[in-house]
Amino acid sequence: MRVRDLSGRDRFKLTQELMAEMIGVRRNSVSFVAHALQEANVIRFSRGHIEIVNVAELNKATCECYRAVKLQYQRLRFSD
């Protein structure tokens, strides 16, 4: 979701390996979750390309830390 927030797009290039590096987990953990989200028709992915097809469901799948970080970012960005 963060990449979507920053890019403003539902389609982007992003490998599972890079996602794993970004969040500090093994690539197979990202692969497991990506497959589950694809099976649930939340995302589509293929060879470094990801498309979010159901933003509402993806939002439901995010942890509370994502919402907290997003809220704090908005506060800091618009505090002037």
Side-chain angles (χ1 to χ4, degrees):
M1 287 298 298
R2 189 71 188 133
V3 173
R4 181 182 185 269
D5 292 345
L6 295 172
S7 71
R9 299 173 182 225
D10 289 334
R11 293 181 186 180
F12 37 86
K13 290 183 179 182
L14 187 63
T15 65
Q16 292 180 13
E17 177 127 7
L18 180 57
M19 281 190 281
E21 288 178 24
M22 290 168 64
I23 61 175
V25 299
R26 291 189 212 172
R27 185 197 167 285
N28 63 343
S29 298
V30 171
S31 181
F32 178 80
V33 173
H35 281 288
L37 290 171
Q38 185 163 267
E39 287 292 315
N41 295 314
V42 175
I43 66 168
R44 283 189 210 117
F45 71 91
S46 177
R47 296 187 181 245
H49 292 82
I50 297 176
E51 178 183 7
I52 300 170
V53 294
N54 191 328
V55 175
E57 286 300 314
L58 188 57
N59 262 320
K60 287 181 189 177
T62 61
C63 67
E64 65 279 351
C65 58
Y66 165 75
R67 288 179 280 285
V69 168
K70 184 176 180 178
L71 181 61
Q72 184 63 17
Y73 175 78
Q74 289 172 336
R75 282 186 198 145
L76 292 171
R77 185 171 179 210
F78 299 110
S79 65
D80 293 336

